[in-house]
Amino acid sequence: MAYDVVLKSTEMGTGDKELTQNLMLAFLHTLTEKEEKPENIVIYGLGVKLAAKNSEALPDLKELENDGVNVVSCGICVDYYELNDKLGVGGITTMPEVVDILASDNTVVHP
């Protein structure tokens, strides 16, 4: 089953921030342990902070990228949060590329 993952926040679900941030980290770590990896991880909104050099999610995102997952962060969002020279994984993407990825035949997972 081909699938893509969209990360639009540093948190998964709603509730106490500590809990929801831990859930997101656990989700990303679980992806590293799955035999079938996503084709793409598209990161936008506040989620781009997950790809920053100081992020706790960075080791898992790097491992996924090393396993062949295309990790891309929204350029508009990276600019907004002033992370241009602070990303630790993946590349910068454009909105047309985001649309192409999300419009593909893959299942899209939104944690």
Side-chain angles (χ1 to χ4, degrees):
M1 171 186 99
Y3 69 102
D4 298 317
V5 172
V6 173
L7 305 175
K8 54 187 174 181
S9 174
T10 58
E11 301 175 44
M12 181 176 175
T14 58
D16 293 337
K17 189 171 188 166
E18 182 179 351
L19 169 66
T20 57
Q21 286 178 336
N22 284 335
L23 289 172
M24 179 60 80
L25 294 175
F27 174 82
L28 290 171
H29 185 71
T30 301
L31 284 178
T32 68
E33 298 174 335
K34 301 294 283 180
E35 186 173 322
E36 188 170 349
K37 309 285 193 259
E39 286 186 26
N40 300 284
I41 296 179
V42 178
I43 310 172
Y44 58 82
L46 189 60
V48 296
K49 292 186 175 187
L50 293 169
K53 290 178 182 172
N54 64 345
S55 168
E56 290 182 59
L58 193 59
D60 288 326
L61 287 172
K62 280 186 172 184
E63 183 175 336
L64 289 162
E65 184 178 53
N66 289 338
D67 288 342
V69 178
N70 180 38
V71 178
V72 291
S73 293
C74 164
I76 296 168
C77 305
V78 168
D79 286 343
Y80 182 83
Y81 289 110
E82 300 177 351
L83 295 173
N84 286 303
D85 56 351
K86 297 176 184 156
L87 287 184
V89 65
I92 302 291
T93 189
T94 62
M95 195 54 66
E97 185 180 9
V98 170
V99 170
D100 287 346
I101 290 170
L102 298 181
S104 74
D105 289 337
N106 293 346
T107 299
V108 178
V109 176
H110 299 269

